[in-house]
């Protein structure tokens, strides 16, 4: 029987948990909850009730209130709503935004669009491990700064930003704060995080929920400062029009509830797998971590193998699903802009692989990966000019 590839690319996406899939299947066909949640008849009310439960579950994973959750198609749309929606709602007042060079494209690209529309954007350079200090954020603020956008956990390196300290700086200065939470839910304790931020983006498929559903947390106090970017039937308190996808939202709700109840145990197992993997890879010469080994996300380990092309390594590792960076940018073949911003040379950035773990990752997957990577790195270094 052929062996399935070891899947160590959970930061790109995760498999839907069977408990989530079972619930989603109840919301599709004629025997199930197929109604439109905006309809007032019994079918609609049944869908609305299930969505209300899911909204409570999604809110609870970040410590928000249910009415502060706006369902979107994912973290990309949530971040677009947070950035474009606040900028355009305040265009006559403030014209400056602050972010970092190592954000996901879901943040960088809407900010680039706002620049084209006349906004000023400051992009902070993190330190050598990828951290942006609250002090650096404070120093970047101007009298016309509207919003700061800094991610909680970086999707390529797993570095964790001090969201509480950055949030405190923003609050003291009267500046809005948006945090991309896509990689922190289910991996770090997030049950209090809503208190620290005004807006937070996250997505179901990174926590064993379905693709195509996510949320923006909009703190009640921040609601007056944001306007919709999608217009129509007025769902989601006017912030995101469109018929609510019951099966997606119900799946997101169950995935969030599982992240809340099992996330700490999952994270403990992932941390042990990460240590196992690092110890196995560090036995090779000239191997350098791009992830903070002490306090980074338990789910991500990014490693540079000097003298080896990352893409050649991925190609050689046919039985191991890993990536050279984010799934979104690895197609370009360019060295990772995240690793470059940390001061890594183009050569070392191009020699890096990201390994990432999920609820299903087993010790045997990691052991297979260690053996395969060691063999491939040794062989590729031998044939290198
Ligand atoms: C995956 C991811 C996103 C985008 O999520 P989608 O569901 O694809 O929209 C945004 N930010 C980070 C940090 C991510 O890891």
């Amino acid at each position: 029987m052929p062996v399935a590839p070891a899947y160590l690319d959970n930061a790109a996406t995760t498999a839907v948990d069977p408990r989530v899939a079972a619930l989603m299947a109840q919301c599709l066909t004629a025997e199930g909850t197929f109604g439109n949640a905006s309809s007032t008849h019994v079918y609609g009310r049944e869908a609305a009730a299930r969505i209300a439960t899911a909204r409570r579950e999604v809110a609870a994973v970040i410590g928000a209130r249910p009415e502060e959750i706006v369902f979107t198609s994912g973290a990309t749309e949530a971040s677009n709503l947070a950035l474009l929606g606040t900028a355009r709602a305040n265009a006559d007042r403030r014209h400056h935004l602050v972010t970092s060079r190592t954000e996901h494209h879901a943040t960088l690209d809407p900010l680039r669009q706002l620049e084209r529309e006349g906004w000023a954007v400051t992009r902070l350079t993190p330190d050598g491990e990828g951290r942006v200090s609250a002090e650096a954020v404070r120093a970047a603020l101007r009298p016309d700064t509207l919003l700061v956008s800094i991610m909680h956990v970086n999707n390529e390196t797993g570095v964790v930003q001090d969201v509480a300290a950055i949030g405190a700086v923003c609050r003291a200065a009267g500046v809005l704060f948006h945090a991309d939470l896509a990689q922190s839910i289910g991996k770090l304790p997030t049950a209090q995080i809503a208190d620290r931020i005004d807006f937070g983006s996250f997505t179901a498929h990174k926590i064993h929920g379905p693709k195509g559903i996510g949320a923006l947390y909009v703190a009640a106090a921040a609601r007056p400062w944001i306007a919709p970017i999608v217009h129509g039937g007025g769902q989601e308190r006017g912030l995101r029009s469109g018929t609510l996808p019951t099966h997606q939202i119900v799946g997101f709700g169950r995935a969030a509830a599982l992240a809340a109840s099992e996330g700490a145990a999952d994270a403990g197992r992932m941390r042990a797998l990460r240590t196992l993997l690092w110890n196995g890879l560090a036995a090779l010469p000239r191997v350098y971590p791009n992830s903070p080994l002490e306090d980074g996300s338990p789910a991500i380990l990014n490693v540079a193998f000097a003298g080896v092309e990352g893409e050649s390594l991925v190609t050689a590792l046919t039985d191991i699903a890993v990536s050279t960076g984010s799934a979104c940018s690895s197609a370009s073949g360019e060295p990772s802009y995240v690793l470059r911003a940390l001061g890594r040379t183009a050569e070392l950035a191009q020699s890096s692989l990201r390994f990432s773990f999920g609820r299903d990752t087993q010790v045997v997957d990691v052991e297979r990966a260690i053996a395969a990577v060691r063999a491939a790195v040794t062989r590729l270094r031998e044939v290198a000019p």
Side-chain angles (χ1 to χ4, degrees):
M1 201 176 78
V3 187
Y7 186 71
L8 295 176
D9 201 15
N10 288 265
T13 197
T14 52
V16 174
D17 190 294
R19 294 167 289 183
V20 170
L23 208 67
M24 292 178 69
Q26 295 170 9
C27 300
L28 292 166
T29 54
E31 312 79 60
T33 308
F34 69 90
N36 184 329
S38 297
S39 303
T40 50
H41 50 59
V42 61
Y43 300 97
R45 287 205 306 272
E46 202 182 299
R50 293 187 89 140
I51 287 172
T53 301
R55 195 183 296 279
R56 280 195 294 276
E57 292 170 325
V58 169
V61 80
I62 59 164
R65 279 172 279 164
E67 61 274 18
E68 295 175 311
I69 296 297
V70 176
F71 287 116
T72 64
S73 61
T76 302
E77 188 192 328
S79 293
N80 272 260
L81 173 55
L83 301 168
L84 303 176
T86 54
R88 290 176 184 160
N90 297 281
D92 54 341
R93 302 173 54 248
R94 296 188 178 197
H95 294 98
H96 179 237
L97 303 151
V98 176
T99 189
S100 84
R101 296 194 179 281
T102 50
E103 298 295 305
H104 192 277
H105 274 293
T107 295
L108 294 175
D109 291 11
L111 288 174
R112 168 119 16 241
Q113 176 57 31
L114 286 169
E115 235 168 11
R116 285 192 284 263
E117 295 175 19
W119 292 77
V121 177
T122 299
R123 296 176 183 82
L124 299 170
T125 300
D127 69 16
E129 282 205 308
R131 285 189 195 82
V132 177
S133 71
E135 204 32 65
V137 171
R138 194 202 314 273
L141 299 181
R142 310 193 322 203
D144 66 337
T145 306
L146 172 68
L147 176 139
V148 170
S149 185
I150 300 287
M151 70 204 310
H152 193 191
V153 171
N154 184 273
N155 51 299
E156 290 195 34
T157 67
V159 69
V160 180
Q161 305 295 353
D162 190 346
V163 163
I166 295 170
V169 161
C170 292
R171 198 150 293 183
V175 169
L176 296 168
F177 179 36
H178 166 251
D180 178 341
L181 308 175
Q183 295 285 349
S184 54
I185 311 292
K187 282 97 184 177
L188 300 182
T190 55
Q192 312 282 325
I193 202 159
D195 292 341
R196 320 283 192 201
I197 64 181
D198 298 297
F199 305 102
S201 302
F202 51 120
T203 188
H205 73 102
K206 304 286 173 63
I207 55 168
H208 300 279
K211 296 170 184 61
I213 185 73
L216 180 67
Y217 158 68
V218 179
R223 179 62 183 83
W225 306 106
I226 185 167
I229 56 171
V230 173
H231 304 271
Q235 288 89 344
E236 298 301 85
R237 295 167 183 255
L239 269 183
R240 207 288 195 165
S241 288
T243 302
L244 292 175
T246 312
H247 61 300
Q248 298 287 79
I249 291 172
V250 161
F252 189 12
R254 177 56 63 90
L258 291 171
S261 62
E262 301 178 5
D266 287 343
R269 281 187 300 99
M270 289 190 269
R271 196 169 289 287
L273 294 174
R274 186 168 172 271
T275 304
L276 178 69
L277 180 59
W278 171 248
N279 289 340
L281 299 179
L284 285 165
R286 294 192 297 138
V287 169
Y288 311 103
N290 293 319
S291 300
L293 296 172
E294 295 302 318
D295 57 2
S297 162
I300 297 175
L301 179 67
N302 193 310
V303 182
F305 302 91
V308 181
E309 270 278 317
E311 282 305 334
S312 316
L313 198 46
V314 168
T315 310
L317 296 171
T318 44
D319 280 350
I320 315 289
V322 287
S323 77
T324 49
S326 75
C328 321
S329 58
S330 55
S332 70
E334 294 287 308
S336 154
Y337 66 89
V338 171
L339 299 180
R340 294 289 283 130
L342 270 52
R344 302 291 186 273
T345 61
E347 207 181 358
L348 213 52
Q350 220 140 18
S351 303
S352 296
L353 287 193
R354 179 190 69 182
F355 303 84
S356 49
F357 315 102
R359 185 175 290 153
D360 307 323
T361 314
Q362 306 290 324
V363 168
V364 29
D365 298 321
V366 173
E367 286 171 343
R368 270 174 66 199
I370 293 169
V373 172
R374 278 196 202 168
V377 167
T378 306
R379 188 170 51 77
L380 288 168
R381 279 177 176 166
E382 277 166 10
V383 301

